[in-house]
Amino acid sequence: MSLRLAVMVSGSGSNLQALIDARRAGDLDARIVAVICDQPGAQAIGRALAARIPTICLPLRKGADRAQWAALVADLIEPFRPDLVLMAGWMRIMPANFVERFTPDLLNQHPALLPETDADTYVTGDGREIPAIRGSHAVRDALRLGVPVTGCTIHRVTPLVDVGPVLARREVAVAPGDTEATLHERIKAAERPMVIDVINQLAAQAAQGRPVNVDHAR
Ligand code: GRF
């Protein structure tokens, strides 16, 4: 079953582009029915428009009521009847009134390794315990904390920031001399195929009428 996918973006939109390209190549079992952005001028908007995807930009004005703004964002997404809403580089923390509107079909991409729970640590595939790095500076924080390995996670969104059932992860080793930019680029290179895989697995499960629940992956 081809899913209807809404994608929320704030920045460069390279994950969005990967989804657009995969769809064109016949490698994505989902149609991007809408792109939602909160940053006027974001590169992601140009990518969406070039692909002729209906695109909405709704910035959060300084001093505005966040819950009201979030309700409006949800009101704008809903008419597109998405099966899945993916935060692919969406940089705003969304309040519970938004999260509840799309639960459990609201997914987030996070550029670090997250555990299953709200635990403070994550155990890597080879058994090393590292801090769970949450928040909007996860790549910078990985370098600051000196972790040997970081990565990326796709999880279902809950009202807790960067906490929720994990659908997929990839580990990425930190290299000597890495900068935030070089490390983030390697993480994004891992994220792009991962998000396509996750969406295809969810589409396959929906086609079988099974509850959408992707196997955990490293
Ligand atoms: C990704 O690393 C994602 O995990 C994080 O923001 C980045 C988005 O990159 N939340 P892009 O805009 O898709 O290039």
Side-chain angles (χ1 to χ4, degrees), residues 9 11-16 47 87-91 108-111 152-153 184 187-188 191-192:
V9 288
S12 80
S14 69
N15 282 281
L16 170 66
R47 296 181 192 270
M87 295 172 159
W90 175 263
M91 298 308 288
N108 182 47
Q109 287 187 237
H110 182 69
C152 46
T153 305
H184 202 172
I187 292 171
K188 287 193 197 186
E191 287 187 283
R192 294 177 199 126

Side-chain angles (χ1 to χ4, degrees), residues 40-104:
Q43 196 187 349
I45 294 177
R47 296 181 192 270
L49 293 177
R52 309 180 76 85
I53 299 168
T55 302
I56 294 163
C57 184
L58 192 65
L60 174 60
R61 303 271 176 223
K62 217 173 164 198
D65 182 302
R66 184 178 284 265
Q68 266 177 22
W69 167 80
L72 187 53
V73 176
D75 288 345
L76 290 166
I77 294 173
E78 254 171 14
F80 292 98
R81 294 181 293 106
D83 299 303
L84 276 181
V85 179
L86 171 69
M87 295 172 159
W90 175 263
M91 298 308 288
R92 296 267 180 209
I93 294 169
M94 297 309 270
N97 68 320
F98 179 88
V99 174
E100 282 155 11
R101 292 270 288 269
F102 298 105
T103 299

